[in-house]
Amino acid sequence: MAAGAPRIFVSHLAGVPVFDPNGDQVGRLRDLVAMLRVGGRPPRLLGLVVEMLSRRRIFLPITRVTGIESGQVITTGVVNMRRFEQRPTERLVLGEFLDRRVRLVETGEEVTVLDVAIQQLPARRDWEIDKYFVRKGKGGALRRKGETLTVEWSAVSGFSLEEDGQGAESLVATFEQLRPTDVANALHHLSPKRRAEVAAALDDDRLADVLEELPEDDQVEIIGKLQEERAADVLEAMDPDDAADLLSGLPEEDKERLLTLMRPDDAADVRRLMSYEERTAGGLMTTEPIILRPDATVADALARVRQADLSPALAAQVYVCRSPDETPTGKYLGTAHFQRLLRDPPYVLVSSIVDSDLVPLAPDTPLPDVTSYLAAYNLVSAPVVDESGSLLGAVTVDDVLDHLLPEDWRETDFHGEQEVARGR
C-alpha cells in the first residue's frame, strides 16, 4: 500500500453525500461493490452504489471517483443513470460482508465481521479491501462480550475464490491481472456460451477494453447478446473510433437503436467517425486526444499526460487549440511533444513551445499516406484538421497498424493465454 494512504472503514461511508467537482450533491452512497479474487488476494473495489436524489440507485465505477473520505465522496461528474443491477461476480460490502461469520486463519476460531477497511493502491485509482474489524465469540446475545480486533485481510478465510472454480466468477477473477489483449485472446477460444457468460460478468470499462482487442465477429456476437442498455454503456466506454468500427458491423436498425441509447455527446462522436471512409485519417482517428488552450502551462500539460487511462501513443503529445477545446475545436495552433514538455519549466505556456511547422493531416488522407506521414516524421500520433483549421482528432500508430496487419491477426495465438481459459 502507498505510504500514508488513508484507510477508511466502510461503516463510516454509509449514507455519506456524493458530490460532483462543482460541489453539487448528486446523491448518497448506499453500498460499495467489490470483486473476490483467486489465490487469497484481497477483494478489489469495483465501485459504489449511489442513490440519486430521484431515489434511483446507480453504479459509479471507482475510476470515476476522485476522492473518498469519511464525510463525503467526490466524483469526476460523469455518471451513468442506468439502474444498478448486481452481477454474479460482484459482492456488496455493506450488504454481504458485514455481520458475516468467518474464521481466523491462524486459530480457526469463528469471528463476526463488524467492519471492513479499504485503502487506495499507490499511484492508482484502484482500491482494495485492506483490513477487517472482527469480534470473537458466537454472536447473538453474547456478541457484545467478545474481544474485538483489527486483522489483515490475509488473516481471515472466507473472502476469496477457489482456484478450481468453473463459474464465470472464478474465470473473471483469473483474468483480472491479464492485459486486455490477453483476455481477448483467451475469450476468443471459449465456446460462444462461455464467452457470453464471461462478457456479461465483466464490468463495463473492462469489457470495453477487451472488445477493442477482439476480432470483429467476436465483437458483434458479444454486443448482440448483451441487453441493449448495457450494450450502449459498453460502447460509451470504448474509444470512439473502436465503437464506430464495431457499430459498422451491425445491421442498420441495431446500429441506430444503440446510438439512440448512448449519451448524445458520445453518440455524436461516433456518428462523426462513421461518416468518413474507413481507411482514411478521418476513419482511423480518435476524437479524444489531449487538447489544451493556449494559456495552459507545461504543468497543466504534464498533469493531463499522467492520466492512467491514456494510451502511450495519445500521451506522447498534446494539441493546442483555441476554444472550444473539444473536437471539433477552435483553431488548431500546433502540437507540443512530451519530450519538449519535460525540457521546459512548469510555468511556461504550451502555446510558446508548440511545433506549428508540421502540416496536419486532412480527414480524407488515405491510409498509405497516413503511414508514410508517421514514418517520415517519426511520430506515434498525428493531428487531423479540417479545412477550417479545427482539430477533428488524432491518428495513432496502433490504429494504423491495426489496418496494415492481416485481417485475422487478432486470432493468432501470439501468447497462448487461451490455455488459461479452457477449463470449462
Side-chain angles (χ1 to χ4, degrees), residues 13-304:
L13 295 174
V16 302
V18 178
F19 297 98
D20 66 16
N22 298 322
D24 295 325
Q25 184 175 339
V26 297
R28 290 188 176 275
L29 189 150
R30 294 307 181 197
D31 216 321
L32 301 91
V33 183
M35 183 179 76
L36 301 183
R37 301 201 277 187
V38 169
R41 297 167 58 218
R44 180 167 69 93
L45 199 63
L46 299 177
L48 313 175
V49 179
V50 177
E51 185 175 86
M52 310 298 286
L53 300 179
S54 63
R55 299 291 185 182
R56 173 187 288 265
R57 293 195 175 194
I58 66 166
F59 175 71
L60 181 67
I62 199 65
T63 53
R64 308 267 172 90
V65 174
T66 57
I68 299 179
E69 301 173 11
S70 293
Q72 64 181 12
V73 174
I74 308 297
T75 77
T76 60
V78 179
V79 297
N80 190 314
M81 292 301 295
R82 184 163 62 89
R83 192 178 299 277
F84 170 68
E85 294 180 4
Q86 187 177 354
R87 295 177 187 155
T89 55
E90 297 172 346
R91 297 290 181 269
L92 298 177
V93 178
L94 294 175
E96 299 180 47
F97 280 32
L98 302 193
D99 293 321
R100 181 167 170 172
R101 301 289 294 167
V102 294
R103 293 187 181 278
L104 298 178
V105 173
E106 185 174 348
T107 64
E109 185 177 1
E110 196 172 43
V111 295
T112 302
V113 177
L114 302 181
D115 211 341
V116 172
I118 58 174
Q119 192 169 37
Q120 190 171 20
L121 297 180
R124 298 171 63 185
R125 288 189 185 176
D126 288 351
W127 290 71
E128 287 183 341
I129 287 179
D130 176 45
K131 293 179 182 292
Y132 299 114
F133 180 58
V134 301
R135 186 189 300 278
K136 294 183 178 181
K138 296 183 178 181
L142 300 177
R143 181 167 140 181
R144 293 184 177 275
K145 298 181 180 180
E147 175 191 357
T148 59
L149 63 159
T150 301
V151 296
E152 298 288 339
W153 61 267
S154 56
V156 172
S157 64
F159 285 113
S160 62
L161 297 174
E162 297 296 329
E163 297 203 39
D164 59 354
Q166 289 300 302
E169 184 179 63
S170 294
L171 193 52
V172 168
T174 303
F175 285 163
E176 185 189 2
Q177 295 304 306
L178 298 181
R179 293 175 179 270
T181 297
D182 298 328
V183 177
N185 195 33
L187 271 187
H188 175 68
H189 291 85
L190 293 174
S191 66
K193 176 179 178 296
R194 196 84 168 106
R195 187 157 49 237
E197 291 172 350
V198 174
L202 293 170
D203 65 69
D204 292 349
D205 290 333
R206 180 66 160 165
L207 180 54
D209 291 340
V210 171
L211 279 176
E212 292 172 0
E213 305 298 334
L214 279 168
E216 182 179 334
D217 289 347
D218 289 346
Q219 290 181 339
V220 171
E221 173 198 301
I222 288 172
I223 211 76
K225 290 183 178 179
L226 297 176
Q227 292 182 349
E228 287 187 345
E229 287 190 355
R230 169 109 203 272
D233 293 342
V234 173
L235 288 166
E236 290 170 358
M238 295 176 69
D239 289 337
D241 52 325
D242 291 308
D245 289 342
L246 195 165
L247 284 169
S248 297
L250 297 178
E252 193 64 33
E253 58 183 22
D254 294 342
K255 180 195 312 179
E256 283 302 318
R257 191 160 54 246
L258 289 173
L259 283 167
T260 302
L261 289 171
M262 292 173 65
R263 287 192 297 262
D265 289 348
D266 293 321
D269 285 342
V270 173
R271 287 183 188 278
R272 183 151 47 89
L273 289 169
M274 292 170 64
S275 69
Y276 298 109
E277 293 291 332
E278 181 181 1
R279 297 172 70 83
T280 65
L284 295 169
M285 69 182 178
T286 176
T287 57
E288 298 178 343
I290 302 176
I291 299 170
L292 293 172
R293 297 182 184 182
D295 58 353
T297 64
V298 167
D300 296 327
L302 290 175
R304 293 286 299 278

Side-chain angles (χ1 to χ4, degrees), residues 353-392:
I353 61 171
V354 295
D355 180 355
S356 56
D357 295 332
L358 204 60
V359 178
L361 296 169
D364 58 356
T365 305
L367 176 59
D369 292 350
V370 174
T371 306
S372 300
Y373 182 98
L374 293 175
Y377 297 110
N378 298 315
L379 298 173
V380 294
S381 180
V384 180
V385 174
D386 66 12
E387 293 179 354
S388 68
S390 298
L391 181 72
L392 300 176

Side-chain angles (χ1 to χ4, degrees), residues 306-321:
R306 281 196 293 268
Q307 291 179 1
D309 54 351
L310 282 173
S311 70
L314 283 180
Q317 58 283 301
V318 301
Y319 300 102
V320 182
C321 307

